[in-house]
Amino acid sequence: MKYYDDLRSFIDALDAMGDIMHVTREVDCDFEPSAITRRSYEIQSPAPLFHHITGVESGFRLFGAPASLSSRSDMPYARVAMSLGLAPESTGLEIVEALSAARHKPGIPPVRVESSAAPCQQNILRGEQATLDRFPIPFAHDKDGGRYANTWGTLIVKTPDGKWVNWSIARVMKVDGKRMVGLIVPSQHIGQIWAEWVKIGEPMPYALVQGPAPAISCVSGIPIPAHADEADYIGTLAGAPVEVVKAVSIDLDVPATAEIVIEGHVSITRDCQEGPYGEYGGYLGSGSSAQPTFHVETITYRDDPIWPMSITGRPTDESHTLWAMGLAADALTYLREAELPVKAAWIPEDSTVHWLLIVMPENWRELLPGMSSEELSQRIGEVLFKTSAMVFIPKVYVVDDDFDPTNLREVVWVLSTRVHPVGRRAVFEDQRVIRLPQCYEEEEYVAGKGAKVVFDTLQTTRHLHASFEQGYPQEVRQRILDNW
């Protein structure tokens, strides 16, 4: 296992295993990089690295699909695993376990280095020179409200008293060279911190970091408990503190090896229209909303910087790999803390973060004496739907452990044959609903409330599968394999 402390060493490692597609011809910055990246997701090709983009300074590059499925069929989750310092052949369930386990270990706080030792400050732009127009920011989709300056970068903010520092990913749209507008959801951590600045009537300092160490991008995009510092959690995953440097113009520390850092302040009112944007559910956006303005004041960057991007849409992109694994790890952590003997949690990529599978071991009835499967499903829903991350999950399936939950073919078979047409489900009415899940009616989005469900698919008696593995004597199977 190896931890990559900057984006470039990570790209080099992917390149060595044949998982980078070098696009050396000049590409138009409007749609071409995004369209190539989107196709790379859909055919599971190597991750595209764009070396020549029309209209920007020579040397500036774009990097697409940083944490999607690998083009290596023998290690499909290699990009996510390697980002987190895990072995490239790690399975999805192993990654979820690692993310959950790290939450119970002591955090390792970051360490500050001098500016001279921070590659992210090799070049410094101030005033009118600090303009987004210098950088290759494409349209993600042709129906979007603008060019999205943040799809895989880390936003760094902290409370006015400095006690809580938050690193997160949120979509941010370019308005012009000096302004962006970002989606600030009140219930999310960045929204809670922004509300504290609004209370005191002062604009919120922010740093938008493009291309930090891959683990920083990944952890920024998954749920961890409120008031926990992502930097400390990343240090735990890395086994060493994250190196940070003081930002040039604001009182924030930023990752020292980042490619690009944008510094400025966020308005205290929702004074600019953001969206629409094609989201992880797989549909192009159709609406916009008033959101705060991110004013651009200073930009620092490495020589020949690399701007990473995630182009969300139909499976499979970073929303369906990394983010889904983070949500599964969150669910797994809370259920085990509730003393439920859950074996695994998994969100199938092709469900676009609309299904969550909770896998129970064969002996769960012995571990929970007197509890029926209906009562277990009810309890699982009570635990999960109180957590903030589960606002994104409308459907939970409680399943046995006699199949591979990461194999979509097996998932479809199990759900098709074990979900009862009418009964065996726990319905939770009037749960919090936001617009990102695609399965609700307009009146439910307006009200902010809708139903969620836990399906009980647990078998009273385990049935053997009509399969090669379970349908024939072991000696017959071995003889066939030996002569295959």
Side-chain angles (χ1 to χ4, degrees):
M1 296 188 292
K2 174 178 172 54
Y3 176 75
Y4 299 95
D5 62 4
D6 74 346
L7 181 62
R8 299 180 185 207
S9 61
F10 173 70
I11 290 174
D12 288 343
L14 292 181
D15 204 9
M17 56 188 279
D19 200 28
I20 293 292
M21 175 173 62
H22 292 275
V23 182
T24 56
R25 67 175 178 85
E26 184 173 303
V27 293
D28 188 315
C29 195
D30 282 348
F31 295 110
E32 215 168 356
S34 301
I36 291 170
T37 299
R38 181 101 288 278
R39 187 168 192 267
S40 80
Y41 292 128
E42 295 174 10
I43 66 171
Q44 208 169 325
S45 82
L49 179 62
F50 302 92
H51 294 267
H52 300 288
I53 302 101
T54 302
V56 298
E57 187 177 328
S58 177
F60 285 22
R61 291 166 287 173
L62 281 168
F63 176 49
S68 184
L69 292 175
S70 169
S71 61
R72 291 279 300 267
S73 60
D74 57 332
M75 47 182 73
Y77 302 108
R79 293 182 206 168
V80 177
M82 292 166 65
S83 293
L84 298 170
L86 302 174
E89 62 272 15
S90 299
T91 67
L93 294 179
E94 288 170 342
I95 295 170
V96 170
E97 285 285 353
L99 291 172
S100 178
R103 289 171 60 156
H104 298 287
K105 297 177 182 178
I108 300 178
V111 59
R112 184 186 281 186
V113 300
E114 295 297 321
S115 177
S116 59
C120 71
Q121 294 181 355
Q122 288 174 332
N123 302 274
I124 300 175
L125 304 174
R126 294 182 173 90
E128 292 306 311
Q129 293 298 311
T131 172
L132 298 173
D133 295 336
R134 299 174 66 103
F135 296 91
I137 304 173
F139 286 95
H141 319 91
D142 71 352
K143 298 294 190 295
D144 289 350
R147 300 176 188 272
Y148 269 79
N150 195 49
T151 56
W152 193 242
T154 293
L155 280 164
I156 300 178
V157 299
K158 67 179 177 181
T159 51
D161 61 13
K163 293 181 178 179
W164 180 17
V165 179
N166 177 243
W167 293 11
S168 66
I169 292 180
R171 72 190 202 201
V172 179
M173 187 181 83
K174 177 184 175 183
V175 178
D176 54 38
K178 300 295 291 182
R179 294 180 300 157
M180 303 180 289
V181 56
L183 184 63
I184 300 283
V185 178
S187 61
Q188 293 181 336
H189 294 169
I190 190 172
Q192 295 170 31
I193 293 174
W194 179 70
E196 293 196 27
W197 287 94
V198 171
K199 284 180 185 177
I200 65 173
E202 294 183 17
M204 178 176 70
Y206 79 91
L208 174 53
V209 180
Q210 299 293 348
I216 295 174
S217 299
C218 287
V219 171
S220 300
I222 65 174
I224 67 171
H227 298 279
D229 284 353
E230 285 80 5
D232 295 10
Y233 179 79
I234 295 161
T236 299
L237 291 171
V242 175
E243 290 191 347
V244 296
V245 64
K246 188 180 185 306
V248 170
S249 62
I250 53 176
D251 183 24
L252 288 172
D253 286 342
V254 299
T257 63
E259 295 288 328
I260 302 158
V261 179
I262 302 164
E263 303 174 11
H265 288 80
V266 182
S267 65
I268 61 173
T269 58
R270 298 182 183 272
D271 52 5
C272 193
Q273 287 296 119
E274 185 273 337
Y277 180 69
E279 268 289 359
Y280 69 89
Y283 300 94
L284 292 173
S286 60
S288 64
S289 62
Q291 299 293 338
T293 300
F294 288 65
H295 294 279
V296 177
E297 295 159 12
T298 304
I299 301 177
T300 72
Y301 61 95
R302 295 181 69 157
D303 295 336
D304 299 328
I306 303 170
W307 190 297
M309 58 181 184
S310 172
I311 308 301
T312 51
R314 286 172 52 176
T316 303
D317 57 55
E318 288 72 20
S319 299
H320 317 121
T321 55
L322 181 277
W323 185 48
M325 290 179 191
L327 291 174
D330 193 69
L332 184 65
T333 302
Y334 281 113
L335 290 173
R336 286 178 175 169
E337 288 176 351
E339 300 183 344
L340 294 175
V342 174
K343 184 174 182 178
W346 184 251
I347 296 174
E349 294 105 41
D350 292 86
S351 77
T352 61
V353 200
H354 284 57
W355 294 356
L356 169 64
L357 306 185
I358 301 300
V359 184
M360 299 302 297
E362 186 171 8
N363 67 338
W364 72 265
R365 289 178 174 84
E366 299 171 23
L367 299 172
L368 297 172
M371 182 176 284
S372 68
S373 62
E374 292 85 356
E375 291 169 331
L376 174 62
S377 298
Q378 180 71 29
R379 179 64 181 139
I380 286 173
E382 290 169 353
V383 172
L384 289 182
F385 296 142
K386 289 178 182 176
T387 67
S388 59
M390 288 301 107
V391 70
F392 299 101
I393 304 291
K395 307 177 187 94
V396 177
Y397 297 86
V398 187
V399 297
D400 290 300
D401 66 351
D402 62 335
F403 73 104
D404 178 3
T406 69
N407 183 319
L408 185 65
R409 178 178 293 177
E410 295 189 31
V411 171
V412 172
W413 169 65
V414 164
L415 298 189
S416 299
T417 59
R418 300 181 191 176
V419 173
H420 191 278
V422 179
R424 297 187 62 193
R425 69 190 68 189
V427 178
F428 293 78
E429 302 286 357
D430 295 327
Q431 298 298 305
R432 191 161 68 90
V433 165
I434 60 175
R435 285 192 174 270
L436 290 174
Q438 297 283 336
C439 56
Y440 292 100
E441 301 293 340
E442 179 60 26
E443 54 266 29
E444 292 174 301
Y445 293 125
V446 172
K449 290 186 178 296
K452 300 197 174 198
V453 62
V454 180
F455 292 93
D456 169 16
T457 78
L458 296 168
Q459 303 169 91
T460 305
T461 302
R462 290 285 182 108
H463 297 285
L464 290 175
H465 304 172
S467 65
F468 177 77
E469 187 64 29
Q470 295 188 18
Y472 306 93
Q474 192 276 332
E475 63 271 16
V476 173
R477 300 199 310 271
Q478 191 59 53
R479 186 163 62 248
I480 289 171
L481 293 174
D482 291 342
N483 289 281
W484 192 257

